[in-house]
Amino acid sequence: EGGLKPMDAEQLRENAHKMVDFIADYYKNIESFPVLSQVQPGYLHKLLPGSAPNQPESLQDVLDDVQSKILPGVTHWQSPDYFAYFPSNSSVAGFLGEMLSAGINIVGFSWITSPAATELEMIVLDWLAKLLKLPDDFLSTGQGGGVIQGTASEAALVVLLAARDKVLRTVGKDAIGKLVAYASDQTHSSLQKACQIGGIHPENCRLLKTDKSTEYALSPESLSAAISHDVSFGLIPFFLCGTVGTTSSTAVDPLPALGQITKSNGMWFHVDAAYAGSACICPEYRHYIDGIEEADSFNMNAHKWFLTNFDCSALWVKDRNALIQSLSTNPEFLRNKASEANLVVDYKDWQIPLGRRFRSLKLWMVLRLYGLENLQSYIRNHIALAKHFEELISQDPRFQVVAPRKFSLVCFCLLPPHDKEDCANKLNADLLDAVNSTGKLFISHTVLSGKYTLRFAVGAPLTEERHVNEALKVLQDKATSLLQTL
């Protein structure tokens, strides 16, 4: 017995069993941890040695360190009391798929490097497209198809590059300084980063103002006006990012009207439904993506609210060649008969990096081990819990719901006494800190129309009604003490 071998079936069996037990126990006890990590910056440097060991240590020693040193520095995204940002789901099926992917450990950049990895990805994204009732143009059987990206930020970047190159092929590459991208001021900040990486001039990234009157959705009138203004100055509108379920308040941009505008201006229309796309597998929420027919690309994150462990961001395009023309390289060392004969999809040409993981296994397992009906019930349950929270908080006159709830996010704030209205923002920031430092729950915030707003996003797989009720109680208790100190 010379310690751990690089790979050995029996050692893997024995140690992986221990690891699975450790992880299962973690889930069993997850409610005993503070949801938001309470450590100070640099805490871990004081606990771990300055250099790696010369001789092997035991798995038990490492697991003991995880328990005593790492877990205190973890914010528990899978806790049933996690209500911050948007959810990032882990599930039994997703975990099993992740485990299998790690076990097989291929690098599937072209078809030949593991035909099953490419073909399964095409199939499961066609399955998911059909669950979302996406137009047939997005299926792999036509000119389009789906691809798994790491995140919605990557998805936005690759379609922006495809759109940029498509228009530059017509107007000449020197015109890059004239290209203008449009979105609302509620669009995820990753769009600005995509423009930055894609060489779109920062002053040509138009984030159009939204307000309460449209429930923070992009108004078609303001888009049309911005486009006309830019065209009159000789600029070239080339890209619009519409959002279904914005990060701040889950606003939904009016896709049909926006699609008409992009169509008449020859622009690429990308729809980001990173969070809310999952809800569209339920017939009663599918109308939120009506108008998707006019979009050139559509993105939803299966790793947010679709029981698929991070990372798994599904992107569909109508014209796969637009992506491939932007992102393909064909070095000698990757040449092979299947690719040369144009018989296959090589996903390396649909993404930024060359290498890629076998992520379709996770999605395949989630779709097969749960099935559509269970996935729909899962989404509906979270929406019902959010509605329950909204009803409860609305009954407390000290609180106000500040944006309409469409999915499982409730935006609300604590109202200051009438003579102290100028301290509203500080009051809510203090409430956020007070609540999060109890460790009993974790929520996050946004700013809407200059107002510091608290966000309560339901979506962790273990969350039940009792967790929502307890969260409300902590919020009310902390609000009471804060209002007393004013």
Side-chain angles (χ1 to χ4, degrees), residues 20-265:
V20 167
D21 282 338
F22 182 87
I23 294 167
D25 288 341
Y26 166 71
Y27 276 99
K28 205 173 187 169
N29 302 315
I30 197 161
E31 290 186 59
S32 65
F33 299 102
V35 189
L36 175 65
S37 173
Q38 307 289 319
V39 300
Q40 293 305 309
Y43 91 101
L44 197 54
H45 282 285
K46 303 184 179 88
L47 301 178
L48 294 185
S51 47
N54 279 325
Q55 296 304 313
E57 301 180 31
S58 73
L59 175 62
Q60 196 49 56
D61 286 349
V62 178
L63 291 180
D64 290 345
D65 273 352
V66 172
Q67 194 68 47
S68 63
K69 298 169 185 170
I70 301 297
L71 288 181
V74 167
T75 289
H76 302 276
W77 285 65
Q78 304 311 319
S79 165
D81 302 304
Y82 183 98
F83 302 106
Y85 310 118
F86 277 138
S88 185
N89 286 179
S90 163
S91 68
V92 177
F95 177 82
L96 296 175
E98 187 67 77
M99 198 173 184
L100 186 58
S101 175
I104 300 174
N105 203 43
I106 57 112
V107 184
F109 48 82
S110 43
W111 178 85
I112 193 78
T113 62
S114 271
T118 294
E119 297 194 13
L120 184 63
E121 189 157 331
M122 295 169 77
I123 291 164
V124 293
L125 287 173
D126 283 350
W127 282 9
L128 187 50
K130 288 172 185 171
L131 296 188
L132 293 163
K133 298 196 171 34
L134 294 184
D136 288 351
D137 302 351
F138 287 115
L139 300 178
S140 67
T141 42
Q143 300 302 302
V147 54
I148 296 174
Q149 302 284 341
T151 63
S153 310
E154 283 168 59
L157 174 58
V158 296
V159 296
L160 180 108
L161 296 176
R164 176 197 73 182
D165 292 348
K166 192 175 174 181
V167 72
L168 292 180
R169 281 194 289 276
T170 312
V171 299
K173 52 180 177 298
D174 295 340
I176 192 163
K178 294 181 179 172
L179 299 188
V180 188
Y182 302 81
S184 87
D185 59 358
Q186 300 298 305
T187 306
H188 194 272
S189 57
S190 58
L191 182 72
Q192 278 170 282
K193 192 183 272 196
C195 284
Q196 226 170 315
I197 299 169
I200 306 303
H201 293 198
E203 65 274 19
N204 289 346
C205 183
R206 303 258 175 281
L207 300 179
L208 305 172
K209 210 170 150 3
T210 59
D211 59 36
K212 220 182 166 103
S213 69
T214 59
E215 299 181 349
Y216 300 102
L218 176 56
S219 110
E221 295 72 26
S222 74
L223 176 66
S224 284
I227 289 174
S228 305
H229 178 266
D230 287 335
V231 169
S232 72
F233 280 90
L235 298 173
I236 305 169
F238 84 108
F239 185 84
L240 168 69
C241 178
T243 308
V244 174
T246 56
T247 314
S248 277
S249 67
T250 62
V252 175
D253 289 341
L255 305 188
L258 298 176
Q260 289 312 312
I261 298 171
T262 52
K263 192 180 185 178
S264 58
N265 287 280

Side-chain angles (χ1 to χ4, degrees), residues 259 266 272 349:
D272 170 358
D349 299 334

Side-chain angles (χ1 to χ4, degrees), residues 321-340:
N321 282 326
L323 266 192
I324 294 167
Q325 283 184 280
S326 262
L327 300 168
S328 122
T329 51
N330 193 17
E332 185 59 43
F333 59 86
L334 296 180
R335 292 200 167 163
N336 65 85
K337 285 187 184 125
S339 297
E340 305 274 305

Side-chain angles (χ1 to χ4, degrees), residues 242-423:
T243 308
V244 174
T246 56
T247 314
S248 277
S249 67
T250 62
V252 175
D253 289 341
L255 305 188
L258 298 176
Q260 289 312 312
I261 298 171
T262 52
K263 192 180 185 178
S264 58
N265 287 280
M267 296 161 65
W268 185 291
F269 184 20
H270 175 59
V271 174
D272 170 358
Y275 156 76
S278 298
C280 298
I281 63 163
C282 302
E284 68 270 33
Y285 301 114
R286 170 59 179 76
H287 66 91
Y288 285 117
I289 56 168
D290 285 355
I292 195 66
E293 301 73 32
E294 289 302 335
D296 296 278
S297 48
F298 176 77
N299 172 228
M300 68 81 89
N301 285 355
H303 61 238
K304 276 196 166 70
W305 196 19
F306 205 72
L307 291 172
T308 309
N309 295 42
F310 189 83
D311 52 305
C312 185
S313 181
L315 169 67
W316 290 271
V317 289
K318 276 187 180 167
D319 173 15
R320 70 174 86 116
N321 282 326
L323 266 192
I324 294 167
Q325 283 184 280
S326 262
L327 300 168
S328 122
T329 51
N330 193 17
E332 185 59 43
F333 59 86
L334 296 180
R335 292 200 167 163
N336 65 85
K337 285 187 184 125
S339 297
E340 305 274 305
N342 231 349
L343 298 170
V344 294
V345 159
D346 288 332
Y347 274 131
K348 70 182 176 63
D349 299 334
W350 297 47
Q351 62 174 19
I352 301 295
L354 172 67
R356 59 202 322 269
R357 302 169 59 235
F358 199 164
R359 292 179 286 211
S360 53
L361 284 171
K362 289 187 281 198
L363 196 47
W364 190 47
M365 288 220 175
V366 166
L367 292 170
R368 290 187 63 187
L369 296 180
Y370 296 122
L372 175 59
E373 287 178 16
N374 282 324
L375 290 163
Q376 288 172 332
S377 313
Y378 175 74
I379 297 282
R380 286 172 180 142
N381 175 51
H382 282 149
I383 293 176
L385 290 176
K387 199 174 170 195
H388 172 67
F389 177 82
E390 181 185 39
E391 282 161 6
L392 293 178
I393 203 130
S394 303
Q395 287 161 16
D396 186 330
R398 303 171 302 169
F399 288 95
Q400 181 185 27
V401 173
V402 296
R405 181 200 54 75
K406 290 193 166 68
F407 305 99
S408 69
L409 171 72
V410 182
C411 291
F412 66 101
C413 66
L414 178 60
L415 298 169
H418 286 305
D419 53 340
K420 302 232 170 60
E421 275 171 11
D422 50 345
C423 71

